[in-house]
Amino acid sequence: MRTRHVNLLIALVAFVLFSFSCFCISRMTQSSNQLINCRNHILEFKENILRLKNKTERNHQELIKALNKMKFEVADRENVSVNSVKKNVNALGKNEIVPNAFEVLKFFFPHLRKVDRIYPDVIIGKEKTGVSFVLGISTVSRGNHSYLKQTLTSLISRMTPSEEKDSVVIVCIADSNEDYLKSVVGMITKKFKRQLMSGSLEVISIPAYFYPHMLHARQSTEASQKLERWRIKQVLDFCFLMLYAQPKARYYLQLEDDIIANKMYFTKIADFVHNITSNNWFYIEFSILGFIGKLFKSEDLIDFVRFFLMFYKDKPIDLLLGDIFQVKMCNPGEALEKCIERNKHIRIRYKPSLFQHVGIQSSFPGREQYFKKPCFSFGELPFASGEKIVSWTHGIVCAFWDGSPGGSGVGCERSPHRLISDFRFCPCSAPIFH
């Protein structure tokens, strides 16, 4: 009996040991599977970490490149290196509205109807708007001669800070010569950086696609064809500049790149315009020379441009300006002198002239010009010591210079075949208002 109990106890112990062994084997197998799964998860996690690390490194490199590019662009904008001038062909964003003023061009030029939007190549500028006056200057290469720096120095230095803030000077480069474009941008960004940064000075260039095919000159000789194309292009350049300036200001003053401004010219213009009792004036002449110094109301500019574009192949723009006055203001058969006198409150002439033409070398290659206002006061010369301005009449060239502290002076030179019988300085009188 006792042996039976021992055997039963041994069997029970053996069963318990066997069950425990099976349990342990099962748990070990399960643990092994879990360890394998855990190991797989660890390997997968490690691979994900490596991928994220590689992606992070790539993103880091791209971010560094982007930051370097932004730094370069900021430095480029601040320093405006002449060697790395960049044209912002599309100055407006894709979702912004194109100024309606340029749409008038599509009516006159069928080739522009295929262009989605017409806009200048903006080189430098804040695209400032909401000012009282825009001063427009169109410039092209004159070979080895340039009067633009002298012109801008005269215009800007003779503004007060408040006048500069309430105006924009626009230099429109109407020349496809890349070297000339770079030279103009380099000169302006070096000498007039503050005005560029404040938005009171802009530089734009006319896109090449704007111009129509101009091989339609009616004269037969090559020289006359070149002159015809030059004159036609000049009208188109002025029109493009006027359309760009139209939405910016209340008034638009047309100037050229080879003029000198009188002392306090801007103050005189602003005071004169504000003191006019009637607002039905057509335009005001602050210079009698060509198209220089003509002031327009911006709201009328598109009408002027339409007229100029209707006859741009026929006459220079200063003659077209006289034509539009005669068409709109003169009675049929009325003498022009009588019409001008009758409408002197419409076509207003300010005296004396506030601008003097100083460029001898014409923008037409090989041509010299000696058009000069006979009585003009330069006032205090706005140039650095040693700089000079040049004037002339009838082939006699005179240079006025500021030689401080050695003093200022004037020297004249004549052609050998030209005799001088009389020489005088003409003191300009006080303003006479008509």
Side-chain angles (χ1 to χ4, degrees):
M1 186 72 180
R2 186 174 179 181
T3 304
R4 183 179 178 185
H5 287 166
V6 172
N7 292 336
L8 182 61
L9 181 61
I10 293 172
L12 180 61
V13 171
F15 176 77
V16 170
L17 290 174
F18 177 76
S19 299
F20 180 75
S21 299
C22 291
F23 174 77
C24 290
I25 292 172
S26 176
R27 293 293 295 177
M28 289 177 64
T29 303
Q30 186 177 359
S31 298
S32 178
N33 293 334
Q34 289 178 347
L35 289 173
I36 293 173
N37 291 335
C38 183
R39 180 186 177 189
N40 293 335
H41 285 303
I42 291 173
L43 292 175
E44 184 179 356
F45 178 75
K46 185 177 179 181
E47 291 176 357
N48 290 335
I49 291 295
L50 290 174
R51 283 198 297 267
L52 289 173
K53 182 180 178 181
N54 294 333
K55 186 175 181 180
T56 301
E57 289 179 354
R58 288 196 300 270
N59 291 339
H60 179 68
Q61 295 297 327
E62 292 176 359
L63 182 59
I64 291 176
K65 291 180 181 179
L67 289 174
N68 290 335
K69 184 177 180 181
M70 290 174 64
K71 290 179 181 179
F72 174 79
E73 290 178 352
V74 169
D76 187 62
R77 283 178 178 271
E78 291 180 351
N79 299 323
V80 199
S81 174
V82 179
N83 296 326
S84 57
V85 174
K86 295 184 178 180
K87 298 182 183 179
N88 300 319
V89 178
N90 296 318
L92 298 176
K94 293 184 178 180
N95 297 324
E96 294 186 59
I97 299 174
V98 180
N100 291 330
F102 286 105
E103 293 301 304
V104 69
L105 297 173
K106 295 184 178 180
F107 178 81
F108 296 95
F109 303 118
H111 74 282
L112 293 179
R113 296 169 192 168
K114 301 177 183 178
V115 180
D116 292 335
R117 72 180 181 189
I118 305 168
Y119 204 72
D121 294 340
V122 178
I123 308 300
I124 306 174
K126 299 284 187 178
E127 297 189 85
K128 184 178 175 183
T129 59
V131 296
S132 295
F133 292 90
V134 165
L135 287 66
I137 302 172
S138 179
T139 183
V140 295
S141 174
R142 299 171 187 257
N144 295 327
H145 299 79
S146 178
Y147 309 96
L148 182 59
K149 175 185 172 183
Q150 176 178 294
T151 296
L152 291 176
T153 301
S154 172
L155 293 174
I156 294 173
S157 66
R158 291 180 165 176
M159 289 183 184
T160 66
S162 60
E163 290 169 349
E164 189 177 310
K165 186 177 180 180
D166 195 32
S167 63
V168 178
V169 178
I170 302 174
V171 176
C172 178
I173 303 175
D175 199 307
S176 59
N177 187 316
E178 192 74 17
D179 291 335
Y180 180 69
L181 185 149
K182 289 183 177 181
S183 69
V184 170
V185 171
M187 180 274 294
I188 290 178
T189 53
K190 180 179 179 181
K191 298 294 183 180
F192 305 100
K193 183 177 181 179
R194 179 180 61 81
Q195 288 78 14
L196 289 173
M197 299 302 293
S198 68
S200 60
L201 178 61
E202 289 186 25
V203 182
I204 66 172
S205 63
I206 300 179
Y209 65 76
F210 162 65
Y211 299 103
H213 184 63
M214 292 186 291
L215 296 178
H216 52 261
R218 288 166 292 183
Q219 302 296 326
S220 58
T221 63
E222 182 181 354
S224 62
Q225 287 181 356
K226 290 181 179 179
L227 182 60
E228 182 86 354
R229 287 192 292 270
W230 170 80
R231 181 181 56 74
I232 289 173
K233 180 181 177 297
Q234 189 178 57
V235 177
L236 298 179
D237 293 342
F238 282 126
C239 288
F240 193 94
L241 175 55
M242 294 170 85
L243 290 177
Y244 176 76
Q246 191 270 336
K248 288 180 170 288
R250 186 176 180 184
Y251 304 105
Y252 174 79
L253 180 65
Q254 182 64 63
L255 300 172
E256 293 186 6
D257 64 347
D258 55 351
I259 58 100
I260 293 294
N262 200 346
K263 183 180 179 181
M264 295 181 65
Y265 78 98
F266 196 98
T267 303
K268 294 174 182 177
I269 290 175
D271 290 345
F272 186 77
V273 172
H274 295 153
N275 289 330
I276 296 176
T277 56
S278 175
N279 196 40
N280 65 343
W281 52 271
F282 197 43
Y283 62 89
I284 304 175
E285 297 180 277
F286 290 98
S287 172
I288 64 172
L289 296 175
F291 205 46
I292 299 170
K294 304 303 185 285
L295 184 77
F296 306 90
K297 288 177 283 189
S298 293
E299 62 189 34
D300 297 335
L301 281 180
I302 294 181
D303 291 335
F304 278 100
V305 169
R306 285 195 183 103
F307 186 88
F308 296 152
L309 292 180
M310 281 192 286
F311 304 102
Y312 75 95
K313 300 177 185 178
D314 301 312
K315 291 184 179 181
I317 198 165
D318 54 329
L319 298 184
L320 292 177
L321 184 61
D323 288 346
I324 189 174
F325 169 78
Q326 193 168 3
V327 168
K328 293 179 72 70
M329 301 301 173
C330 299
N331 297 324
E334 183 179 17
L336 180 59
E337 294 78 8
K338 183 178 180 180
C339 177
I340 292 175
E341 178 63 25
R342 182 172 58 83
N343 292 293
K344 62 183 180 181
H345 63 290
I346 301 294
R347 177 183 175 181
I348 305 173
R349 179 170 291 176
Y350 179 95
K351 294 182 181 179
S353 175
L354 296 182
F355 303 98
Q356 179 64 287
H357 183 264
V358 297
I360 296 178
Q361 184 63 45
S362 170
S363 57
F364 182 72
R367 181 180 180 183
E368 293 185 354
Q369 51 194 7
Y370 298 91
F371 305 114
K372 182 177 183 293
K373 179 69 176 67
C375 184
F376 177 84
S377 174
F378 285 100
E380 297 177 4
L381 296 179
F383 304 102
S385 176
E387 292 192 312
K388 63 183 180 180
I389 56 176
V390 179
S391 184
W392 63 91
T393 180
H394 304 298
I396 302 171
V397 180
C398 294
F400 302 80
W401 68 89
D402 176 18
S404 300
S408 302
V410 56
C412 296
E413 181 179 353
R414 63 177 176 85
S415 301
H417 64 278
R418 187 171 295 279
L419 299 177
I420 301 176
S421 60
D422 184 39
F423 184 86
R424 71 183 67 180
F425 287 98
C426 177
C428 291
S429 60
I432 301 173
F433 303 101
H434 285 272

